[in-house]
Amino acid sequence: MAIAEMSRMTLVGLKSDKNEILDALQRTGAAQITPSEEYELAPHGENGEGVAKENALVLRAEHVLEYLTKELDDAPKALRGDGVAKDGIGVTSQQFFAVGDAQEEYEKILSDVEKIEADRNENNSALSAVQAERKTYADYECVPDSFAAFCDTECAAVYLGVIPFDKTAAFSEHMNELDTAAFRILGNASRGEVVCVVAYKPEKDKAETVMSSCGFTRCPVKDDVIAKEKLRELDEKEERLKQIGENITARACEAATFTEKIKIYVDYHNFLKEKYSLDETFAATDSAFVLSAYVPTEATERIKAAVNQASRANYICFEQIKRDEFAPTLMKNKKAVANFESVTNMYSVPAYGALDPNGVMGFFFSLFMGVIMADVGYGLMMIVGGFLFAKKQREGTTVNRMAKVFAIGGFFAVAFGLLLDSFLGLSLFRGSEGYYGSILPASIAGKYAEWYAEFIDPVAANVRLMGIDIPSMLLWCLGLGTIHIAVSLIMKAVQCFKRGQIVDGIFGGIVWSLALISLVVWVFCMCAEISSVTTYAMYATVGCAVLGVLTAGITEKGAWKFIKMFTSAYGLINYASDILSYARLYGLMLSGAQIASIFTNTLAIQMLFPSGVAGIIFGVIVIIIGNVFNVAMSLLGAFIHDSRLQYVEFFGRFYEGEGELFTPFGRSYEHIYFKN
């Protein structure tokens, strides 16, 4: 639970070794390259071409990925296989840089997919043309003769076409009135009646007027071919094209097995693009360049060794960055605690010179989530669901870490569920009179029920404080909140001590934390009627509070000493309101438990189960759906209110944010992450 000390690296190297040096820095995963501020930057005319070239390669590969994804979406399930490789591909540095030595292999993969796409486009065009042509002939399938037979003669004009169904009667009536024209209905088409009209040429205008007014559509085909035969030919051609399309789909699905390689290829060339663009941040001469970077102090020897191995001649030096100066933040936490960095970073990244809160905050975050959920079944769902969901996400991402945060909170939910005798809303330790018994022996179950009713029951168990009955569980939640605030003041003191601010640490942190801890002891001993301890705890609370107020301005000068004393005394009201805000733990716990009991106990066991087999089936469905809904809503509320308690009540007293996360060169990509 610490923020790594950083150093500023200055490296002077030969331009001829630049690529090898940058590759070596990428392999270390420990250098955040920054512009060289102490040196005048020299222009680099060749970099634009390099960036453009790599960008074109990336766009080409991303287009191939997009095409393969579309093909697999449209492909039958049996052909899809494993589908397109998901993001979050773990690679080693050796695998990553091996892409540069296998350009021919990747070129072949991309070319093969592009050939598949070209074949697909050609086949789709041909299929569309066939289908459009078929549509032209389909209306005239009822015509038994060749289209060439419907041609004009020396004296007559011949028309073949379609009249809409709703115009057929009017057409027949008007055509029958003409002495110089005749017509015949040849059959039905999808759009209307297929008709043939023969008109005397000198009087054809009259027939054309009638046909036009009735929506006549003339057949565009004049070829010497019969519609049925042409349609049969087109159907065979369409079937062949569809078979070719299925073969193309199979080829695309086979090529999709290379999507993992293509994604690595994309990120590798993004890395090369990043290298080219970095040149603009280097100061340079004709033969040398200057590189500046932030590096963790503990990694300096490793970086020096890597650079020396990659370069024939170089100069490299490191300067430790003081905690009161700016540097990017690199948090050093073990795996479990590192997951809570995602919660902290949602608020603000800790500053380089600040205290890393994640270890302590993570414990209280999980504790409060356990109090809110407080059910064995819900806790197990959080554990299993959280870890399974995290496994499907890329390692180290925010989603991956947040899933693990919920899973860790599940262990605390199980613990509090056992304490509060809640198993999906059922009381298995105490049982339910008339519906189900306790899983414990009768003698133990009876004693447990008495103890539960007196001390634990969230609704019925009360304590008397200053003549007022207060739910015991509410008092416990307020007590946990007070300890939470006290720990934040201890964190403030630790931060002051690290900076040599001993007086501020003692009187601004330790004294007030002792006052709050004494307050908890005082209140709980008062409720338990332990008079001897109550008196001493009261003296300690009042004494520490008075001392805190009187010394609030101890490091100030002049009138500010008294102003600080006044504001500190007024701040006691804020402490009271902050402690009361932890009542939300009790409220959320109570609401979740009540909803769980309604779904499982009241609706399912008491109302549906006695109705027979059908009631049991519907009861189980109600239990599953109801509790899944309750878990989802409770987790949402737990996360929001738990975060609020950390951000406002805990961080508000010591946390220094506005930091910038340490981002190693060449280590953040869209599709991959580095195993080492």
Side-chain angles (χ1 to χ4, degrees), residues 161-219:
V162 178
I163 295 290
F165 288 116
D166 59 339
K167 300 288 186 179
T168 303
F171 171 78
S172 299
E173 180 182 350
H174 293 309
M175 288 299 296
N176 287 329
E177 293 174 356
L178 298 177
D179 297 332
T180 57
F183 73 95
R184 176 179 293 179
I185 297 176
L186 302 179
N188 292 336
S190 59
R191 296 181 291 118
E193 301 281 3
V194 178
V195 299
C196 176
V197 178
V198 179
Y200 181 53
K201 274 188 176 180
E203 303 289 334
K204 69 176 184 178
D205 290 347
K206 295 179 180 179
E208 288 179 353
T209 300
V210 172
M211 289 187 289
S212 177
S213 65
C214 293
F216 177 80
T217 303
R218 191 168 188 177
C219 177

Side-chain angles (χ1 to χ4, degrees), residues 639-673:
F639 178 76
I640 292 173
H641 292 287
D642 199 345
S643 298
R644 187 260 178 205
L645 292 175
Q646 307 303 326
Y647 296 158
V648 178
E649 315 302 347
F650 191 64
F651 284 173
R653 289 174 170 79
F654 74 95
Y655 186 68
E656 295 179 3
E658 304 301 325
E660 177 185 304
L661 279 177
F662 176 67
T663 308
F665 162 64
R667 287 279 165 160
S668 297
Y669 294 110
E670 181 181 357
H671 304 298
I672 68 170
Y673 72 94

Side-chain angles (χ1 to χ4, degrees), residues 604 608-609 611-624:
L608 293 174
F609 279 11
S611 302
V613 176
I616 292 174
I617 294 173
F618 281 107
V620 170
I621 294 174
V622 167
I623 290 173
I624 294 173

Side-chain angles (χ1 to χ4, degrees), residues 272-512:
L272 296 184
K273 184 170 69 173
E274 186 181 359
K275 280 207 300 185
Y276 280 117
S277 61
L278 273 177
D279 280 356
E280 299 299 332
T281 68
F282 299 155
T285 65
D286 291 338
S287 58
F289 72 99
V290 179
L291 178 153
S292 297
Y294 291 110
V295 301
T297 301
E298 64 182 21
T300 54
E301 291 302 320
R302 180 158 55 92
I303 289 176
K304 186 182 294 185
V307 171
N308 288 335
Q309 187 176 359
S311 171
R312 295 172 294 169
N314 65 78
Y315 168 78
I316 186 169
C317 67
F318 300 94
E319 178 188 0
Q320 288 188 4
I321 302 174
K322 297 178 180 178
R323 290 292 182 175
D324 57 353
E325 298 178 9
F326 171 80
T329 301
L330 173 63
M331 288 172 275
K332 296 171 59 181
N333 292 304
K334 293 184 178 180
K335 286 186 177 181
V337 175
N339 295 314
F340 292 92
E341 292 174 9
S342 58
V343 179
T344 299
N345 294 342
M346 287 175 65
Y347 178 72
S348 179
V349 176
Y352 169 63
L355 197 65
D356 180 5
N358 288 292
V360 178
M361 185 277 293
F363 170 76
F364 279 106
F365 192 93
S366 301
L367 179 69
F368 293 158
M369 184 168 285
V371 171
I372 293 171
M373 301 305 292
D375 187 279
V376 175
Y378 291 179
L380 293 175
M381 292 167 68
M382 291 166 63
I383 295 169
V384 175
F387 283 126
L388 285 179
F389 187 76
K391 192 174 182 180
K392 295 181 180 180
Q393 308 303 315
R394 188 194 309 188
E395 188 67 30
T397 61
T398 300
V399 176
N400 172 275
R401 289 183 167 187
M402 287 303 303
K404 292 178 182 177
V405 165
F406 284 111
I408 293 170
F411 289 102
F412 286 82
V414 169
F416 280 101
L418 291 171
L419 178 67
L420 296 173
D421 187 21
S422 181
F423 298 79
L424 294 181
L426 300 178
S427 303
L428 298 186
F429 292 161
R430 292 169 292 136
S432 175
E433 187 175 349
Y435 294 99
Y436 57 88
S438 170
I439 63 173
L440 300 176
S443 57
I444 299 177
K447 293 179 180 179
Y448 174 81
E450 293 177 4
W451 176 79
Y452 182 92
E454 184 175 357
F455 298 105
I456 299 296
D457 193 314
V459 178
N462 294 326
V463 292
R464 198 162 187 81
L465 180 64
M466 301 174 65
I468 303 173
D469 287 334
I470 301 174
S472 300
M473 192 53 63
L474 172 60
L475 192 63
W476 279 106
C477 290
L478 297 178
L480 286 176
T482 308
I483 297 297
H484 189 222
I485 296 173
V487 172
S488 73
L489 292 167
I490 294 174
M491 298 283 282
K492 176 182 179 180
V494 171
Q495 189 153 267
C496 290
F497 294 156
K498 288 179 66 177
R499 296 173 177 173
Q501 301 167 342
I502 307 300
V503 174
D504 285 338
I506 293 174
F507 295 105
I510 298 297
V511 168
W512 283 107

Side-chain angles (χ1 to χ4, degrees), residues 56-197:
L57 291 173
V58 168
L59 290 176
R60 179 190 179 194
E62 287 180 338
H63 174 77
V64 165
L65 284 172
E66 183 180 353
Y67 168 70
L68 288 176
T69 301
K70 181 180 180 301
E71 279 285 355
L72 262 68
D73 287 343
D74 297 336
K77 191 173 182 180
L79 291 178
R80 292 177 191 171
D82 295 333
V84 174
K86 294 182 179 179
D87 290 344
I89 304 164
V91 300
T92 63
S93 292
Q94 290 75 16
Q95 290 173 312
F96 185 69
F97 283 100
V99 175
D101 300 326
Q103 289 297 312
E104 291 185 3
E105 177 189 351
Y106 286 97
E107 175 63 29
K108 184 178 185 309
I109 292 172
L110 296 179
S111 298
D112 288 347
V113 177
E114 288 169 340
K115 179 64 169 61
I116 294 172
E117 184 180 15
D119 291 345
R120 170 66 74 190
N121 292 337
E122 182 182 347
N123 188 71
N124 285 346
S125 297
L127 188 60
S128 297
V130 167
Q131 290 171 341
E133 188 177 5
R134 191 189 190 289
K135 191 175 180 181
T136 300
Y137 287 97
D139 285 337
Y140 302 98
E141 189 174 5
C142 60
V143 179
D145 301 314
S146 168
F147 290 102
F150 298 90
C151 60
D152 293 350
T153 65
E154 184 177 346
C155 299
V158 180
Y159 305 87
L160 177 66
V162 178
I163 295 290
F165 288 116
D166 59 339
K167 300 288 186 179
T168 303
F171 171 78
S172 299
E173 180 182 350
H174 293 309
M175 288 299 296
N176 287 329
E177 293 174 356
L178 298 177
D179 297 332
T180 57
F183 73 95
R184 176 179 293 179
I185 297 176
L186 302 179
N188 292 336
S190 59
R191 296 181 291 118
E193 301 281 3
V194 178
V195 299
C196 176
V197 178

